Amino acid sequence: EHAFLISSLARFASFSDSRDYSAPVNFISAGLRKAGAEEVVEEDSDEEEKPVKQEEFPKEFVPKKLKTGGNFKPSQKGFVGGIKSFMDFGSWERHTKGIGQKLLQKMGYVPGRGLGKNAQGIINPIEAKQRKGKGALGAYGSERTTQSLQDFPAVDSEEEAEEEFQKELSQWRKDPSGGKKKPKYAYKTVEELKAKGRIGKQLSAPQKELSQVKVIDMTGREQRVYYSYSQIGHKHNIPDDNPQQTLGKDSKPQAFALPELEHNLQLLIDLTEQEIIQNERQLQYERDMVVNLTHEIEKMSEVLLHEETAISNLSKVLETVEECERRMQPNCENPLALEECARIFETLQDQYYEEYRMSDRVDLAVAIVFPLVKDYFKNWDPLKDCTYWTEIITKWKSLLENDHLLSHGGQDLATDAFHRLMWEVWMPYVRTIITQWQPRNCGPMVDFLDSWAHIVPIWILDNALDQLIFPKLQKEVENWNPLTDTVPIHSWIHPWLPLMHSRLETLYSPIRNKLSSALQKWHPSDSSAKLILQPWKEVFTPGSWEAFMIKNIVPKLGMCLNELIINPHQQHMDPFYWVIDWEGMISLSSLVGLLEKHFFPKWLQVLCSWLSNSPNYEEITNWYLGWKSMLSDQVLAHPSIKDKFNEALDIMNRAVSSGVGGYMQPGARENIAYLTHTERRKDFQYEAMQERREAENMAQRGIGMAASSVPMNFKDLIQTKAEEHNIVFMPVIGKRYEGKQLYTFGRIVIYIDRGVVFVQGEKTWVPTSLQSLIDMAK
């Protein structure tokens, strides 16, 4: 392309010659332009160009010499021979429109670099070869120069295309010799027929049906019948097997035409092809059968080897079992022991595991193991030796228990030998012992069942507890009298808790009823009631225990506090001690309610009367501190108790401020003020300490920022709900009801008691749900 561009530009520059420019434009062939040489120009004629030799041209078409002139300067004559700086490259385009430089740049040319794919350039300039005649490009053969053949030795693809075109073109020309064209034949090899047979064998079911359809071909001179669509394509296998043309006027009739013979030959060819294909398929079938039978032989050999090994192992297992049966006979000299039998079964399990698992272990154990176990348990007393033979039975559990069933699963005596062993051999001895057992002597029986709990199947143990133990306990509870029996009932009921758990809950109701009957005539001065009831606090549910205390104990304690006489000069503290001794047994709210109702009214009344009679304030201070020290920190931390003691301080402060009684003890006002300040500071320090402990507990539990948003109590839950619904929730300062802090929830006044919200009604406080409270606040 670059050579053609440069040659074109050279032709364009030749127009500057001093010729007649009114004449038609003539092009010259590309040629070498050397210094001092004449230019050769060929004139084109308007006639059609024909490939002629150079010496046949007339004289007027011989290239003439051109004079040097026009735009060419003498300095331009050296552009072929040497290499100039790229600054002068294409400088002659200033006399033109510069199309050459633009075309080079579009094709990727960079000024200052060489041409080519890798910008390698060339050392020698492009050579131009003069065409011989006036024919078109390529009419005289290849126009490649010696330099291009050296640099690009590849064969020109255009030359090959030209040769192929000439070859095909010659086929259309009529043979001048008039000779008869030789017929061409198509041959099929055996491998092609085999491949065709394999393809036909892979046809699907619909294709096979179509391959067997009868087809009548009437496209030729005569009717032909085919028995498959595939045979239609066979008639064109031979290229010259076309229908014969009809005879015209100038056509000659065929000298040799035997359609019957051709038809018979074609039939013989088709039969031969089908026979070859059928033989190939049969051969392939036989080969596949050989491979299949080889695999079957290998598989059967493996099965035979496995069966021989299994027969050998079963023979050894059978010999071992027969030896055990022989030694089980009564008159045998070497009788079989239980330990030795366990070792034999263990050997069978280790060495012949598959055969042992496949065997009927239930029948085998019934015949051999059961008699031996019965002999060992003949003289067994479970209450005296509860761990008797637990080790050997544990070993038999691993030998006889079915792996496909859970060891503590449901009842399955037909498939599990160990379950049957425990049910038929172990359970009868246990049943006999339990029927003779006294429930109040629970220690040996509990130890026995606890030591066997991990060995005995669960359903057998449950059967023993439900059908044997529980009826005995129920009957004994019915006969129990808390007023006459010297043995506490918890001593023979509570040991069964680890084994029986919730089964004992049905016994708790009659026990509480009998205890309630026994407490009807009880007085708090009798401390035995606390000893009897204390073990049941963790056994009864919290609700049932609280109800029992409120019904039977709290009223008695209230009566005891009513009988208490508060006398600062001669105080009897026994009734108060009887009540305080029940702290921990009754709930804190119940104890605080007793003190608020039966103690503090009398105590405050005594304080007021004492202050009105010219008292000794130091004695009053000691009396105040003495009563406060009688209560525990949990009771003192209750808001109601705090309010009562703060009320007493307020009464003392008013007394010393008003000067009641005329005579005022020196320093009394200061002492009372100091006492008040000290007590208030203690309360504040106690509350701060409680908050610190709660914070430490939360930190130890690992409650982070995400968990801190979870409400820790009912109050926090109400506060969270109030924040979600934009409702103001805050305590009412200085306002309480029955010792409970009052809160405002929107415009509603509430208080919280034991996780229940109470809303202030017209006459009383009404409990309500949290959602109803939110609806009322909105």
Side-chain angles (χ1 to χ4, degrees):
E1 292 177 354
H2 300 315
F4 177 73
L5 179 61
I6 294 173
S7 63
S8 300
L9 292 174
R11 294 193 192 100
F12 182 74
S14 67
F15 293 161
S16 60
D17 194 5
S18 60
R19 284 176 175 264
D20 185 9
Y21 294 103
S22 63
V25 179
N26 294 326
F27 292 89
I28 64 172
S29 61
L32 293 174
R33 184 173 183 177
K34 299 182 181 179
E38 295 181 352
E39 296 182 354
V40 180
V41 179
E42 291 185 358
E43 296 180 358
D44 297 338
S45 65
D46 296 337
E47 299 178 358
E48 184 181 359
E49 293 183 357
K50 297 181 180 179
V52 296
K53 298 182 180 180
Q54 186 174 1
E55 56 270 14
E56 295 177 359
F57 286 111
K59 294 181 179 180
E60 58 269 18
F61 294 113
V62 176
K64 299 179 180 180
K65 297 181 180 179
L66 297 178
K67 295 181 180 180
T68 303
N71 294 331
F72 289 96
K73 297 180 181 180
S75 60
Q76 294 176 338
K77 296 179 179 179
F79 80 96
V80 175
I83 299 174
K84 299 182 66 176
S85 174
F86 70 90
M87 296 299 293
D88 297 334
F89 179 76
S91 60
W92 40 266
E93 286 196 345
R94 63 177 174 266
H95 307 290
T96 65
K97 294 182 180 181
I99 188 63
Q101 186 74 9
K102 293 179 181 178
L103 291 175
L104 287 174
Q105 291 179 357
K106 287 182 179 180
M107 290 184 286
Y109 172 71
V110 179
R113 300 179 62 183
L115 299 177
K117 180 179 180 181
N118 300 320
Q120 71 275 14
I122 58 175
I123 299 177
N124 300 322
I126 298 175
E127 296 181 2
K129 184 177 181 180
Q130 183 179 2
R131 192 175 298 126
K132 296 179 181 180
K134 297 180 180 180
L137 183 64
Y140 302 100
S142 176
E143 296 185 3
R144 295 180 60 180
T145 62
T146 306
Q147 177 187 352
S148 66
L149 292 174
Q150 292 177 357
D151 295 339
F152 305 99
V155 180
D156 193 354
S157 60
E158 295 181 358
E159 297 177 2
E160 292 182 355
E162 179 64 24
E163 292 178 1
E164 195 171 326
F165 173 74
Q166 293 295 338
K167 184 178 179 181
E168 294 179 357
L169 186 62
S170 62
Q171 294 179 0
W172 290 91
R173 295 174 180 174
K174 187 176 181 181
D175 190 1
S177 60
K180 196 173 183 179
K181 189 165 56 174
K182 295 182 180 181
K184 296 182 179 179
Y185 299 96
Y187 299 96
K188 288 184 180 179
T189 62
V190 177
E191 298 299 330
E192 292 177 355
L193 290 175
K194 291 180 180 179
K196 178 182 176 182
R198 285 192 291 268
I199 294 173
K201 188 177 181 180
Q202 297 174 358
L203 292 176
S204 59
Q207 291 175 338
K208 289 182 179 179
E209 293 178 0
L210 292 176
S211 64
Q212 299 175 1
V213 174
K214 181 179 180 181
V215 180
I216 301 175
D217 184 10
M218 304 182 67
T219 59
R221 291 185 305 167
E222 59 183 10
Q223 176 179 333
R224 294 186 180 184
V225 179
Y226 301 102
Y227 294 96
S228 65
Y229 284 110
S230 60
Q231 292 182 359
I232 298 178
H234 296 170
K235 68 177 183 177
H236 299 297
N237 288 340
I238 301 176
D240 293 336
D241 188 12
N242 296 323
Q244 297 181 359
Q245 299 179 355
T246 58
L247 296 176
K249 296 181 179 180
D250 299 332
S251 60
K252 297 180 180 180
Q254 294 183 0
F256 185 78
L258 295 176
E260 293 81 2
L261 180 58
E262 293 178 359
H263 176 72
N264 293 336
L265 290 175
Q266 187 64 36
L267 287 178
L268 291 175
I269 293 172
D270 294 341
L271 291 175
T272 306
E273 290 181 358
Q274 294 297 328
E275 186 177 358
I276 292 173
I277 293 173
Q278 186 66 25
N279 292 337
E280 172 64 18
R281 291 179 179 176
Q282 184 66 26
L283 178 60
Q284 185 63 34
Y285 172 77
E286 297 297 338
R287 289 175 180 172
D288 295 340
M289 182 62 68
V290 170
V291 174
N292 189 19
L293 292 177
T294 303
H295 290 299
E296 289 292 334
I297 291 173
E298 294 177 356
K299 186 177 180 180
M300 289 296 106
S301 299
E302 294 179 358
V303 173
L304 180 60
L305 181 60
H306 182 268
E307 294 295 336
E308 290 177 354
T309 305
I311 292 172
S312 177
N313 294 336
L314 286 175
S315 301
K316 295 178 181 178
V317 171
L318 183 60
E319 292 176 1
T320 304
V321 173
E322 290 177 352
E323 179 66 20
C324 292
E325 291 180 351
R326 186 185 61 81
R327 296 178 61 181
M328 289 290 298
Q329 299 299 326
N331 300 325
C332 181
E333 298 179 356
N334 186 17
L336 185 64
L338 186 62
E339 295 85 349
E340 187 178 358
C341 184
R343 287 194 297 269
I344 293 174
F345 272 71
E346 189 173 359
T347 302
L348 294 176
Q349 188 182 36
D350 294 340
Q351 297 182 3
Y352 310 103
Y353 181 80
E354 294 296 333
E355 291 77 8
Y356 181 77
R357 291 302 176 190
M358 291 169 56
S359 62
D360 192 355
R361 283 172 288 171
V362 177
D363 296 338
L364 188 62
V366 170
I368 298 177
V369 182
F370 283 24
L372 297 177
V373 175
K374 287 181 181 179
D375 292 339
Y376 273 84
F377 286 163
K378 188 187 306 181
N379 299 323
W380 176 44
D381 188 358
L383 300 182
K384 294 182 180 179
D385 189 2
C386 61
T387 60
Y388 183 75
W389 292 111
T390 54
E391 295 182 359
I392 190 66
I393 296 299
T394 303
K395 183 181 292 186
W396 278 110
K397 179 181 180 180
S398 62
L399 294 173
L400 299 179
E401 199 166 31
N402 196 339
D403 293 340
H404 299 289
L405 299 174
L406 295 176
S407 59
H408 297 295
Q411 178 179 356
D412 195 354
L413 299 178
T415 58
D416 198 297
F418 181 74
H419 288 203
R420 185 172 177 179
L421 172 66
M422 299 304 293
W423 179 255
E424 296 182 1
V425 179
W426 182 83
M427 193 62 182
Y429 291 99
V430 175
R431 191 179 292 111
T432 303
I433 296 299
I434 292 178
T435 54
Q436 302 173 359
W437 164 69
Q438 294 297 326
R440 299 198 179 191
N441 186 18
C442 63
M445 184 61 68
V446 171
D447 294 340
F448 162 68
L449 292 178
D450 187 59
S451 60
W452 283 82
H454 66 284
I455 303 174
V456 180
I458 282 293
W459 66 272
I460 295 179
L461 183 63
D462 292 343
N463 180 271
L465 294 175
D466 294 336
Q467 304 297 328
L468 302 176
I469 299 297
F470 183 77
K472 301 274 290 185
L473 294 176
Q474 190 176 19
K475 185 177 181 180
E476 193 66 23
V477 168
E478 293 175 358
N479 298 330
W480 172 67
N481 187 355
L483 299 177
T484 57
D485 288 340
T486 57
V487 179
I489 189 173
H490 66 270
S491 62
W492 48 274
I493 292 293
H494 289 184
W496 290 104
L497 288 173
L499 288 173
M500 304 189 71
H501 303 290
S502 59
R503 293 184 179 91
L504 299 176
E505 290 184 0
T506 54
L507 301 178
Y508 297 157
S509 181
I511 291 175
R512 285 193 294 267
N513 293 334
K514 291 193 175 187
L515 290 175
S516 299
S517 301
L519 290 173
Q520 290 181 357
K521 298 180 180 181
W522 170 77
H523 190 269
S525 59
D526 185 5
S527 60
S528 61
K530 182 182 178 182
L531 297 176
I532 294 175
L533 295 177
Q534 190 172 8
W536 293 98
K537 182 182 178 182
E538 302 299 331
V539 177
F540 294 160
T541 60
S544 61
W545 174 257
E546 181 66 17
F548 181 82
M549 289 289 105
I550 292 175
K551 179 181 178 182
N552 300 286
I553 303 300
V554 174
K556 302 284 185 180
L557 298 180
M559 293 174 57
C560 185
L561 284 178
N562 286 332
E563 296 174 358
L564 175 65
I565 299 175
I566 300 176
N567 185 0
H569 302 289
Q570 189 177 1
Q571 184 66 52
H572 295 283
M573 299 295 296
D574 291 340
F576 187 81
Y577 289 149
W578 296 339
V579 175
I580 295 299
D581 191 35
W582 282 88
E583 181 182 359
M585 294 289 292
I586 61 177
S587 62
L588 182 61
S589 59
S590 299
L591 180 59
V592 171
L594 287 174
L595 294 176
E596 286 181 328
K597 185 176 181 180
H598 302 286
F599 172 74
F600 278 107
K602 296 189 293 183
W603 185 76
L604 292 175
Q605 185 179 3
V606 171
L607 177 62
C608 292
S609 61
W610 193 2
L611 291 173
S612 62
N613 296 320
S614 302
N616 185 348
Y617 284 94
E618 184 177 357
E619 293 180 356
I620 291 177
T621 301
N622 294 332
W623 181 77
Y624 171 86
L625 296 175
W627 277 107
K628 193 173 182 180
S629 64
M630 302 295 293
L631 302 177
S632 63
D633 293 339
Q634 292 182 350
V635 177
L636 292 176
H638 197 275
S640 300
I641 304 300
K642 286 183 180 180
D643 292 343
K644 296 299 181 181
F645 281 106
N646 289 333
E647 185 180 352
L649 291 175
D650 294 340
I651 293 173
M652 288 188 285
N653 284 319
R654 288 196 299 269
V656 296
S657 299
S658 61
V660 178
Y663 174 75
M664 180 61 63
Q665 182 178 354
R669 182 177 301 174
E670 291 76 6
N671 291 336
I672 297 300
Y674 177 75
L675 175 65
T676 303
H677 177 71
T678 303
E679 293 298 314
R680 300 282 169 80
R681 186 177 62 184
K682 287 181 179 180
D683 293 341
F684 177 76
Q685 290 177 351
Y686 181 80
E687 291 178 357
M689 184 177 63
Q690 289 296 111
E691 293 179 356
R692 192 182 304 111
R693 287 178 180 176
E694 292 179 0
E696 291 177 355
N697 291 334
M698 292 175 62
Q700 290 178 357
R701 293 171 187 171
I703 302 177
M705 295 300 294
S708 62
S709 60
V710 179
M712 299 303 296
N713 50 38
F714 194 64
K715 176 187 172 183
D716 295 339
L717 178 60
I718 296 176
Q719 184 175 358
T720 303
K721 293 295 183 181
E723 292 175 357
E724 292 178 358
H725 296 85
N726 296 324
I727 300 174
V728 178
F729 176 69
M730 59 182 298
V732 181
I733 300 175
K735 296 293 184 179
R736 292 181 179 273
Y737 177 77
E738 294 184 354
K740 310 295 188 301
Q741 175 67 48
L742 297 181
Y743 299 91
T744 57
F745 191 84
R747 297 182 179 180
I748 304 173
V749 180
I750 64 171
Y751 78 89
I752 304 170
D753 184 17
R754 301 179 187 177
V756 180
V757 179
F758 290 86
V759 179
Q760 187 178 16
E762 295 180 357
K763 297 182 180 180
T764 182
W765 294 84
V766 181
T768 184
S769 64
L770 183 57
Q771 186 61 41
S772 301
L773 178 65
I774 294 173
D775 296 339
M776 288 188 292
K778 288 183 176 181

